Every structure is written in C-alpha cells, then in structure tokens.
Amino acid sequence: MARGRGGQQGQGFRPTVLEGVLERITYANEETGYTVAKVDSGRGSGGGELTTVVGALLGAQPGESLRMEGRWGSHPQYGRQFMVENYTTVLPATVQGVRRYLGSGLIKGIGPRLAEKIVDYFGVAALDVIEQTPERLIEVPKLGPKRTKLIADAWEEQKAIKEVMVFLQGIGVSTSLAVRIYKKYGDASISVVRNEPYKLATDVWGIGFKTADTIAQAVGIPHDSPQRVMAGIQFTLSESTSDGHCFLPEEKLIADAVKILQVDSGLVIDCLAELVAEEGVVSEKVPGPEGEPVTAVYLVPFQRAEVALAAQLRSLLNSAEDRLGAFANVDWGKALGWLRSRTGADLAAEQEEAVKLALTRRVAVLTGGPGCGKSFTVASIITLAAAKKAKIILAAPTGRAAKRMTELTGHEAATVHRLLELKPGGDASYDRDRPLDCDLLVVDEASMLDLLLANKLAKAVPPGAHLLLVGDVDQLPSVGAGQVLRDLLDEDSPIPRVRLTHVFRQAQQSGVVTNAHRVNTGKPPELADMTDFFLFPCEETEATAELTVDVVANRIPRKFGFDPRRDVQVLAPMHRGPAGAGNLNTMLQAALTPSREGVPERRFGGRIFRVGDKVTQIRNNYDKGANGVFNGTLGVITGIDGDEQELTVRTDEDEDVRYDFAELDELVHAYAVTVHRSQGSEYPAVVIPVTTSAWMMLQRNLLYTAITRAKKLVVLVGSRRAVAQAVRNATAGRRHTALAHRLAGAV
C-alpha cells in the first residue's frame, strides 16, 4: 500500500531521505495541503528524536510510516526542520510500528486498546491479515463478526480514498475534500474528476467553482469550454444566493460571470442562452426597483420556490374554509374581558388589533421591536384559540428560539425543520399532499425564514388553517436567499399585518430595550447612568480584540456572575480581521477552554476542537441528526472518540449529533459568531466589538440586531466613531427578489 507524492526536482538535486513515524500534525492548511508535523525518526521504536517536518504532506495520517525526500533547513523561530519535497507511505515492519500504526486512529474502529489485542495475537503479520484474510480477525478474543466486518470495510475504504488522494495530489485538493469526493462517488471518483469536474462544485460541499476549475484545468478542459462557462454562470448565481439574492438581473449576471471566468461576454451570452434552453436556469421579466421591467435570471429551485410561496400564501389567505370559524362572529368585548381575567393585564389597542387579525384572517404578520409586547400578544392569541379547542402548533427557525417560545407561551414549540420532518436530501415529510394537522400555526423569529424554508413551511399549512408569522422586520434578513418577512410587509402585498410600536413602561427601564430603539431610529446609544448597557472605548483593533476577551472571560463574570461560556456571546460584525469572529474564537478558546491533560482534542486544519468547546454548524446538512442539522445550529462538544474517529456535539435542541473527523469542516467555534449567525438566538449577555476596520459592515440594522439578541446585558467594545458610523448608516442592501410583486399579482 505504498503511496508516492510528486515534487518538482531541480537538475542535479540529490534529495536527502528521512524515514520515520508521523507522530502528530501541529498545523495543516486544508486548502493547500501545507503541513507542519512531528516525526519520530527512530524508525518506529518509540524512543527516537522528534523531528519537525514541513511541506505538502497531503493525506498523511499520524501513525503512518513515511519515507520522505527533501532537504534540511532552519527556521529563524522554530529551528532545524526537514522540508519535504515528496514522500511515500510504507507499512511498518516491526511489532511496535504495527501497534502504533493501527492504534493511531487511521482505521475507523481500531483504537490503541484494540490495536494492542490484534498485534498481541497476530504480531507483525497483523496488517497482512487485515489486508488479505480479514475474516481471521474474529480469532482475536472479544472481537465479534460485526466489528471484524467494520474494520475490513474501513481498511478497504481507506485504501480507495488514498488512491483518489494520489490522483488529486498534484492538483492541491485537500485531504478532507478527497474523502468527500470518494464518499459521494465511490469507485467512480476518478472518472468523475477526469471527465465531469464541474459536477464537484454542485455535488460536493466544500468544493466551489474555483477548486473545480483548478481540477478541470489540470485534466485538460479548455478555458473557453462551454462546459466551463455554463458551470461558471451557475456558480455566479449560486454565489449571489449566498449574498441573499433570489435572482440576478441579466446584465449584472453577465458582467459578474465575465469577471470570474475571464472570457468574452459574447461567449457568456451564448452559454447563458443555452442554459436557459436546457432549463438549467430560468429567465423571466420582473418589475425592477422603479417598476421598470428587468430580465431576472434564477437558479431553478429559487424561481420555483418564489412562485410556489406566493401562490400558496394567496391560496391560504383566500381559502373558503376557516378552521377558526368560531371567531368570525365572536363578541370581542366579552372575549377580551375573559382574556383579561386570565392574564391579569390589559392589551394595548394595537395588540387587540393583532389578536383579532390572527384569529379572523387565514394569514397575518405581527411585527415590532423589543419591549413592544409581541410575546404577550402571541400568548394572548394562543390562550383564546386554546379556549375554542383549536389545534395549535408553534415553531421557530432555531432551537433557541423554539425553547424561548415554549417558555413564554407554556405550549411546546419545535424548530421548523423538526416540525416538517425534513428527510435526507431536504424533502419534507409534511407538504401539500400531507399537511400538518393544525388550526393555528404560529412561527416566531420570521425574519430568519429564507425563501426555500418559507416555501416548505407554507406548503404544509392545511387549507382553512391560520398562519401567523411573528418577527422584527428591522432586524437583518435571513442568512439564506430572500427577505421573506420584508416582502410580506411590502406596501403592495395583500398580507394583513400589525406593527406594534408602543414600548411598555417596564421595558423602558431597560437600557438594552431603550438603546435598541434609539439605534433603530438613528440615535446613538445612551450610556450615562445605564446599569445594563456599557461601552469600553478602544481605538486600536488588536487592543479591542484583547479587551473583548478580558470583558468576556473576567470582567462580566466578576461583576454580574454570568458563566462566560454558557451566558455570554460575542457578536462580531465580521468574521475576518483581528477583532473578527475567527480570531476572537482562537483567543476565547485559549482563555475559556485551554488544552488540558487527559481531555481529548482533535486538530482539523488550523482549528483544534476540544471537549467543552462551543461550536456552530456552517452548512445545511439534511443527513445529520433526526431531521438534519442546519446552518447556524449551536452546540457544545461533549465527546471525542479516537477509535471511532468521531466527535459528538450536543445541539441547542438537546440532540446528540455525531461528526466523522473528515466532516469537521462543517463546524466552527462559536465563542464569537457574526451578527448574521446570531439571528433567532437570545443570550443573557452580549459583547459587541465595533471597530473602524469593519467599516463596510457597520450598518444600523446590524447593530440593532446585535443589541436585540441580549436579554440582560450589552457591552460594546471599541471605537466611538465606529458606533456612530453604524448608527448613521441605514443603507441596508436591497436583495434581488420578486416575492412582493408575485404576492401583489404583478408577476
């Protein structure tokens, strides 16, 4: 099972050879394969000197015996090291080497203890047995047929994956992506990579157009190939959905694609026409911002979802059936009096209007800022509906929001994904043919609903049932494509709505609520005499990052008693930069969850995952958990199993989800998250680093969203000038959608 890696050798270059066992990887760039590692050059005896090696060790795993060619060099900070030009993996030839190789976690299902048993029984022949006669493994005491088969299958898969990695080595594809390619295509992997490389960008998460394009060039696909140009057009549209757009105007699409592909616009225009003819994309006229016709180009699923969502909402709104027909002729004076006797509180006039609307109209929207009584209004609607024996379902886009809804109403709430019972592939168990059994469906945090999820949800509402969408339209729109709540509230939309504007006296005592409303109306936060809203001024970006960590790890726990991991959340405007979420996560992990002897950890690329780490999912994965795990799902790492090569996360829905080590690029640390990722969540305390380096991201709705995530405490850290810029900047980018026009019957 030897494996070679090619490197460019200069004429007359005589490489030095270094042999040893790969002990540990201290750094690996998953994109380039560049690795820093420690090798035991004692030939597997366990007592040799540990040597630092650097270079493209793509695919090498701890425990493997390596024969490396390269040259010795010296690093000014790290000292003597061996620079690898190429390497070969060789099977170990000693009992100790075999034991370490098998116990390294390289083969799923074999850890150090089981490796010990296998090698004690078979000695140096253990690897030959696994390779040639794996059925003999059952001879090992306490090793049953089930585990024997798992080991044999894992060995075969490992060999096959390595063949794929050998093929991809010269192209610079990372180990984790090679594993994903193999798991997607199996034995057809090399054929797909050679003949249809652009399929990778659509089929394999983590491979975008640029990686697929690099592979395509390496296998000889021409720069101006129609296959390449059409894939580039679809990639351009896909990238725009990541920015929230449902379509791109044709002129912008062509210009963006030309820039990405570096080809003539005529070729892009021809290939776009071919894509439209083949129904790879949809092109249609929609009204533009000023009402002028625009040629909109959609990826097929987004156009279908937009058309279907508008049609379904109009159908629900105009349904002849009414599952809450008892409220059509109710005596509202009596009903509201009865409600007052149950709750002990009066509803404001606009809250009364919202209650009546939700119970008499089939579709309605309730919006408003913090402290305006949205939750109490929803609880009142539910109380009245329950009094008429209505079947009520409550849902929210995230686990945290669903939990909060349960606490506030006393009725069980579920995430939308769990409610619809999404299946692998993303199809829902509940849809138009099998609707939910409910009379009233209430969905909180509706600003988070993207187009695709909102369409799935609307399809599952039975005719005659009432759908109430609740959310704050002034917050950031959804992470996914669309601006569903904003479009439903468009002035031309037929959807009934109530906006709560009155801030109740109790909420007025809160600096968090007061300043959220000040920011939302373009006024700077009030800081004098506040006991729950603070600014720690700091002008330098690096110093702001250090101060943020100190505030989270020391100052807030000391003054307020909050647990820094469980109760405090850092919300950053950006991911990158010294005060961005990425760097802050590294600093906060070092402060809050440092490496400890005896506590397992797993390195993946530039990140180290430890038991106790706060993490978040960064893609929709319909194959994980009971009903999928979704972009933005938060959790805590509760276990790392080297034998099974998997890590367990307890999500905020109290579900244990397992990740293979090769899937860890789906997780990032969540001590700090971007404000966009925080939507739908609520935390006791929020810390917001605000620096001038994030100038382009400093927008009013971003700062407003961050403040409204806090229940009890907000601490701003950073530049007063940056805070002022965020408050002033109300120009939130408009997304390209046509839902409002479709709802109004214009499209």
Side-chain angles (χ1 to χ4, degrees):
M1 203 169 77
R3 176 171 87 236
R5 294 292 193 275
Q8 295 300 315
Q9 304 287 337
Q11 280 190 331
F13 175 71
R14 297 179 65 88
T16 302
V17 174
L18 176 69
E19 294 186 356
V21 175
L22 181 58
E23 282 290 320
R24 65 178 180 271
I25 293 171
T26 55
Y27 170 79
N29 184 313
E30 290 296 316
E31 293 302 315
T32 65
Y34 179 80
T35 304
V36 180
K38 294 288 187 180
V39 169
D40 182 351
S41 53
R43 310 283 176 102
S45 65
E49 173 192 356
L50 286 185
T51 303
T52 300
V53 299
V54 299
L57 289 163
L58 188 72
Q61 300 286 340
E64 289 186 312
S65 294
L66 307 179
R67 185 179 190 277
M68 296 161 286
E69 294 183 345
R71 54 195 170 84
W72 290 100
S74 183
H75 187 279
Q77 185 175 350
Y78 301 111
R80 193 167 185 256
Q81 55 189 23
F82 189 76
M83 290 172 280
V84 180
E85 296 291 338
N86 59 57
Y87 78 91
T88 305
T89 307
V90 292
L91 294 179
T94 66
V95 168
Q96 179 68 14
V98 171
R99 182 179 287 118
R100 294 171 71 194
Y101 180 79
L102 280 180
S104 67
L106 180 67
I107 299 153
K108 191 168 184 177
I110 302 181
R113 287 190 298 276
L114 187 52
E116 193 87 26
K117 287 182 182 177
I118 293 171
V119 177
D120 284 350
Y121 189 87
F122 291 113
V124 77
L127 296 179
D128 289 331
V129 169
I130 297 172
E131 170 84 33
Q132 295 165 19
T133 55
E135 65 275 5
R136 286 194 60 202
L137 286 170
I138 202 167
E139 298 171 21
V140 178
K142 297 184 179 178
L143 193 59
K146 186 177 177 184
R147 178 55 67 92
T148 297
K149 184 177 186 312
L150 284 174
I151 291 169
D153 290 348
W155 179 266
E156 286 303 314
E157 183 177 288
Q158 191 67 29
K159 281 201 303 179
I161 289 170
K162 285 183 179 179
E163 285 179 27
V164 175
M165 286 198 286
V166 167
F167 177 71
L168 295 174
Q169 160 67 19
I171 310 164
V173 177
S174 71
T175 308
S176 61
L177 294 185
V179 171
R180 285 184 188 278
I181 291 169
Y182 178 78
K183 289 194 171 177
K184 178 68 181 176
Y185 303 115
D187 294 339
S189 297
I190 291 175
S191 171
V192 170
V193 169
R194 276 202 179 110
N195 302 313
E196 303 174 274
Y198 292 105
K199 266 175 69 74
L200 301 174
T202 340
D203 293 351
V204 183
W205 185 78
I207 297 185
F209 174 79
K210 289 173 185 173
T211 303
D213 202 31
T214 303
I215 294 170
Q217 287 177 44
V219 298
I221 290 178
H223 187 72
D224 59 355
S225 155
Q227 179 190 355
R228 175 178 185 266
V229 176
M230 285 193 278
I233 290 169
Q234 289 178 310
F235 166 73
T236 305
L237 285 171
S238 180
E239 284 287 277
S240 76
T241 66
S242 301
D243 293 332
H245 302 300
C246 297
F247 69 82
L248 281 182
E250 186 180 66
E251 288 183 8
K252 179 167 175 53
L253 170 61
I254 292 167
D256 288 354
V258 165
K259 196 180 297 181
I260 288 167
L261 292 163
Q262 295 293 298
V263 295
D264 291 340
S265 58
L267 181 57
V268 172
I269 291 166
D270 290 345
C271 288
L272 175 57
E274 193 174 335
L275 264 178
V276 171
E278 293 176 359
E279 298 184 352
V281 298
V282 177
S283 174
E284 64 175 314
K285 293 286 187 187
V286 303
E290 306 301 324
E292 76 288 1
V294 169
T295 302
V297 184
Y298 289 82
L299 290 173
V300 174
F302 293 91
Q303 192 268 352
R304 286 182 180 162
E306 204 173 75
V307 170
L309 176 57
Q312 176 67 356
L313 289 174
R314 288 167 65 88
S315 173
L316 289 171
L317 186 61
N318 300 318
S319 173
E321 295 180 58
D322 190 350
R323 287 180 168 231
L324 293 179
F327 289 98
N329 300 304
V330 77
D331 182 332
W332 283 106
K334 281 187 180 178
L336 294 171
W338 175 84
L339 181 65
R340 189 182 309 112
S341 70
R342 292 292 301 269
T343 63
D346 283 314
L347 291 170
E350 54 192 16
Q351 290 178 305
E352 285 188 9
E353 184 189 350
V355 169
K356 293 174 185 176
L357 199 68
L359 296 173
T360 59
R361 301 299 298 270
R362 316 300 191 278
V363 182
V365 173
L366 172 62
T367 189
C372 292
K374 286 198 305 293
S375 297
F376 184 69
T377 306
V378 169
S380 300
I381 292 164
I382 291 167
T383 301
L384 284 169
K388 296 291 187 184
K389 305 289 191 257
K391 293 176 181 174
I392 302 164
I393 292 179
L394 309 182
T398 67
R400 282 179 175 240
K403 276 185 183 176
R404 190 171 71 249
M405 205 176 183
T406 300
E407 292 164 3
L408 292 170
T409 64
H411 283 67
E412 191 66 33
T415 62
V416 175
H417 309 97
R418 200 177 285 275
L419 173 67
L420 299 178
E421 293 182 8
L422 294 185
K423 298 175 287 193
D427 291 330
S429 297
Y430 291 94
D431 54 21
R432 197 172 283 111
D433 298 326
R434 187 196 176 202
L436 297 163
D437 182 17
C438 68
D439 303 318
L440 172 64
L441 172 59
V442 183
V443 183
D444 198 11
E445 294 288 355
S447 62
M448 289 187 68
L449 287 176
D450 61 43
L451 174 66
L452 299 183
L453 186 58
N455 182 45
K456 286 182 171 73
L457 179 69
K459 279 182 185 174
V461 181
H466 288 224
L467 171 63
L468 175 63
L469 298 169
V470 183
D472 185 347
V473 74
D474 293 323
Q475 288 182 18
L476 290 167
S478 56
V479 174
Q483 47 183 27
V484 173
L485 187 63
R486 188 167 294 162
D487 285 344
L488 296 186
L489 292 169
D490 186 86
E491 59 182 12
D492 294 325
S493 164
I495 304 299
R497 77 290 302 266
V498 170
R499 179 167 191 141
L500 304 180
T501 56
H502 174 71
V503 181
F504 287 90
R505 186 178 294 115
Q506 186 177 353
Q508 289 173 3
Q509 311 306 312
S510 161
V512 175
V513 172
T514 299
N515 281 328
H517 284 281
R518 285 181 65 85
V519 167
N520 199 32
T521 54
K523 298 172 186 168
E526 181 64 57
L527 299 169
D529 302 322
M530 289 290 178
T531 58
D532 60 354
F533 199 104
F534 301 92
L535 168 66
F536 283 79
C538 188
E539 292 303 319
E540 294 296 325
T541 304
E542 287 81 1
T544 296
E546 291 170 7
L547 182 54
T548 298
V549 173
D550 185 40
V551 165
V552 172
N554 302 310
R555 299 192 190 200
I556 288 178
R558 194 162 56 232
K559 183 172 177 63
F560 296 97
F562 289 134
D563 181 291
R565 281 191 298 181
R566 187 183 63 243
D567 300 328
V568 185
Q569 183 63 54
V570 176
L571 302 181
M574 296 174 66
H575 181 76
R576 293 181 177 158
N583 186 53
L584 284 170
N585 270 315
T586 303
M587 296 172 71
L588 285 161
Q589 184 194 36
L592 300 175
T593 317
S595 181
R596 298 195 308 280
E597 195 172 336
V599 177
E601 56 183 48
R602 176 70 183 183
R603 178 178 289 277
F604 188 91
R607 296 190 292 275
I608 299 173
F609 292 102
R610 298 184 180 127
V611 171
D613 271 342
K614 190 155 70 169
V615 291
T616 184
Q617 174 85 6
I618 59 169
R619 68 169 289 224
N620 289 346
N621 187 335
Y622 296 97
D623 300 323
K624 285 227 159 290
N627 300 115
V629 181
F630 298 90
N631 191 351
T633 298
L634 286 164
V636 174
I637 297 174
T638 55
I640 297 175
D641 188 330
D643 290 6
E644 296 300 324
Q645 293 185 55
E646 63 182 25
L647 173 154
T648 303
V649 173
R650 182 78 167 175
T651 71
D652 54 10
E653 290 183 68
D654 297 324
E655 180 181 12
D656 289 323
V657 178
R658 290 178 172 79
Y659 291 79
D660 287 345
F661 285 165
E663 298 175 315
L664 294 183
D665 54 353
E666 296 189 18
L667 292 176
V668 296
H669 292 98
Y671 300 99
V673 298
T674 61
V675 179
H676 282 84
R677 286 199 170 276
S678 72
Q679 290 167 263
S681 294
E682 198 175 59
Y683 317 94
V686 160
V687 179
I688 310 166
V690 190
T691 67
T692 52
S693 64
W695 199 257
M696 296 301 293
M697 293 297 294
L698 296 176
Q699 295 170 349
R700 185 182 298 172
N701 64 347
L702 183 133
L703 182 57
Y704 173 73
T705 300
I707 292 169
T708 57
R709 299 307 86 210
K711 284 194 284 191
K712 298 177 180 175
L713 175 68
V714 169
V715 180
L716 303 176
V717 181
S719 158
R720 294 181 188 275
R721 184 163 155 254
V723 173
Q725 163 65 9
V727 172
R728 277 196 308 271
N729 186 7
T731 57
R734 190 76 179 175
R735 296 181 169 191
H736 293 299
T737 81
L739 178 61
H741 301 293
R742 296 186 199 278
L743 284 166
V747 180

